[in-house]
């Protein structure tokens, strides 16, 4: 059992692509966690998608030995969608390394996670990374850390994780500056569940930080908020390979397995205690993770439905924050309505289904949760599927979720960013300057952000803007359901909830796009965007003309006339009874392009 004063628990905070995973690699290598032969780039990022995009999706932990000290490193996700997981990982530590790219400076997500870390009373050690880049300006970044975050950066450590410069200084600083954990090893067991994942051989592997007491093999434990009881069958730590231990004591971080079958039973932030000698109260800060963004996932080939169901169920084994239920659409057949933590989460799940399970998918337009107050006091309806919206006469008012967004952007792109936020019904709250960059704070409706706000932001600023947000509750909105009708028939997969002010431009854009995407038929096809019974935009696909008079050469003109009259009658009948086939590609293109307004 390691004495408490010889333990250090710390996490690494950084914006996407500032070198967090590479620094973790070097720390593992320097302390001898893996031999040179076992090393691979971004050791702690297990998924290919994490390595390719340079993002961390799942929190990982590794135990390092350095100069007689036990260092527990938490590699946490950096993206806003996983903010709750980050908060639990930070609650399990006493300090953090703040990694900032010497060429890029402080970014929005760095800021959000640093403030969380400060709220947990952490000791923060600034690390300025990538100092060997030609564009590196470490002194300017040092000033930025002091000005923006308010941290003393005079003793910031200069490193280059790629070249291995300053790695030992980082390890020494962790020992010197980060305080040891507190905890009573004789008290009843109290441990925090940080994360969990599914292992096909061991069942669910649960990552924990023991606050008080000791956890051993064979112990009977209970999850306080889930109320489930289990017997521990394995206790250990990651170095980063699994190592079995006899026990994990207060102050330490490790993993347990207890033949748990589903990740859904192990909720992040839950408190684990001894069944026979339980702790009096659970640890603070636990909350249920709720999906924020919803969309429909449908297989392009209807025969793949069972394969999609199986694939989604397998993914759910490893990601309890993702929810799904079956739904059917007249246009797209059978599929699933899925809930996600945010847009990045949606993108990751979709990409994993496509890659790992070889599925071709159609994704309907993403939507958020609206609170619909029904008339005559009939209660509140939580709606996330536009096709389930009640009739307008049954609705008293609709509330939509709003967010507060912080955007960092170089000065020259500020004008177009402000215009983008104004177009999306944003309310400007703040605008300050730090060096050559502007920090803008906006309040925005979430349904304007889920479409393609992030992509537009990146393209307008050539990738230099960084964006972070948190939800600030629901507000009343003048919202309506917009239906898209093709040949007089509503297409349920294309219906969406929009603000009355932007409905016309959205509808016109969608009709124009569908006009280009739907092939011509032998009869005229009207494409309309409608709110209730009122058509707000219309495009018409002209009919293809079949030359019925081709067989008439010479002869009386009345013969041609007779044939054309007959064709006209036929077209009229066809327009009434003919069905329009909309190709799958048209759906994919119409939905993928979101809105370009």
């Amino acid at each position: 059992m390691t004495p408490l004063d010889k333990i250090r628990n710390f996490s690494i905070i950084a914006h996407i692509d500032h070198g967090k995973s590479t620094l973790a690699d070097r720390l593992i290598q320097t302390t001898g966690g893996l031999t040179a032969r076992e090393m691979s780039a971004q050791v702690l990022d297990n998924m290919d998608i994490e390595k390719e995009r340079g993002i961390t999706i799942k929190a990982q932990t590794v135990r390092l030995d350095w100069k007689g000290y036990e260092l527990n490193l938490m590699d946490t996700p950096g993206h806003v969608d996983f903010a709750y997981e980050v908060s639990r990982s930070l609650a399990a530590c006493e300090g953090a390394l703040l990694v900032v790219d010497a060429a890029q400076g402080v970014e929005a997500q760095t800021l959000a996670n640093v403030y969380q870390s400060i709220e947990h009373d952490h000791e923060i050690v600034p690390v300025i990374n990538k100092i060997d880049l030609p564009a590196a300006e470490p002194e300017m970044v040092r000033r930025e850390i002091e000005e923006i975050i308010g941290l003393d950066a005079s003793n910031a450590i200069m490193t280059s994780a790629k070249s291995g410069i300053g790695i030992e200084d980082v390890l020494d600083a962790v020992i010197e500056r980060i305080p040891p954990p507190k905890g009573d090893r004789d008290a009843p067991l109290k441990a925090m569940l940080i994360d969990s994942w599914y292992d096909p051989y061991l069942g669910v592997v649960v990552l924990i930080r023991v606050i008080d007491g000791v956890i051993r093999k064979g112990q009977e434990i209970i999850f306080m908020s889930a109320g489930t009881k289990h017997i521990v069958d394995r206790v250990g730590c990651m170095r980063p390979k699994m190592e079995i231990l006899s026990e994990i004591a207060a102050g330490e971080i490790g993993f347990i397995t207890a033949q748990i079958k589903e990740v859904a039973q192990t909720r992040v932030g839950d408190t684990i205690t001894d069944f026979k000698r339980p702790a009096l109260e659970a640890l603070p800060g636990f909350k249920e993770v709720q999906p924020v963004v919803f969309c429909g996932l449908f297989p392009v080939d209807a025969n793949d439905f069972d394969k999609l169901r199986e694939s989604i169920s397998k993914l759910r084994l490893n990601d309890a924050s993702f929810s799904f239920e079956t739904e059917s659409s007249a246009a797209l057949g059978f599929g699933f309505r899925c809930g996600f933590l945010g847009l990045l989460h949606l993108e990751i799940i979709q990409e994993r289904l496509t890659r790992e399970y070889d599925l071709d998918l159609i994704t309907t337009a993403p939507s958020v949760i609206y609170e619909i107050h029904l008339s005559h006091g009939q209660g509140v309806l939580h709606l996330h599927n536009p096709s389930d919206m009640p009739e307008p006469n049954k609705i008293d008012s609709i509330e939509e979720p709003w967010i507060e967004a912080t955007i960092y952007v170089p000065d020259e792109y500020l004008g177009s960013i402000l215009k983008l936020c104004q177009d999306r019904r944003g309310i400007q709250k703040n605008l300050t300057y730090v060096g050559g960059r502007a920090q803008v704070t906006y309040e925005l409706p979430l349904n304007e952000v889920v479409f393609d706000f992030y992509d537009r932001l990146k393209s307008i600023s050539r990738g230099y803007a960084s964006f972070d947000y948190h939800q600030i509750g629901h507000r009343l909105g003048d919202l309506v359901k917009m239906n898209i009708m093709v040949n007089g028939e509503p297409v349920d997969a294309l219906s969406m909830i929009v603000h009355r002010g932007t409905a016309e431009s959205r509808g016109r854009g969608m009709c124009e796009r569908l006009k280009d995407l739907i092939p011509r038929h032998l009869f005229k096809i009207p494409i309309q965007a409608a709110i209730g019974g009122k058509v707000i935009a219309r495009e018409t696909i002209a009919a293809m003309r079949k030359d019925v008079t081709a067989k008439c050469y010479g002869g009386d003109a009345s013969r041609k006339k007779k044939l054309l009259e007959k064709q006209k009658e036929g077209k009229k009948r066809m327009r009434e009874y003919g069905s329009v086939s909309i190709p799958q590609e048209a759906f994919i293109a119409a939905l993928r392009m979101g809105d370009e307004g």
Side-chain angles (χ1 to χ4, degrees), residues 11-14 20 56-60 74-93 95-96 109-118 120 122 192-195 268-269 285 287 289 341 468:
S11 63
I12 303 181
I13 294 171
K20 178 171 56 154
T56 301
I57 297 165
K58 293 287 284 175
Q60 300 286 347
M74 305 280 301
D75 186 17
T76 55
H79 197 273
V80 58
D81 286 3
F82 309 109
Y84 173 64
E85 277 124 85
V86 175
S87 82
R88 296 303 85 209
S89 302
L90 292 177
C93 301
Q109 280 157 26
T110 321
L111 215 64
N113 289 347
V114 162
Y115 288 145
Q116 273 204 3
S117 190
I118 291 169
H120 285 102
H122 280 182
M192 185 202 290
L193 197 158
I194 303 165
D195 206 352
V268 173
K287 66 172 190 229
V289 181
L341 296 175
D468 187 79

Side-chain angles (χ1 to χ4, degrees), residues 435-447:
R437 292 193 303 166
Q439 177 190 342
V440 198
T441 310
Y442 257 93
E443 287 180 356
L444 289 153
L446 185 60
N447 82 337

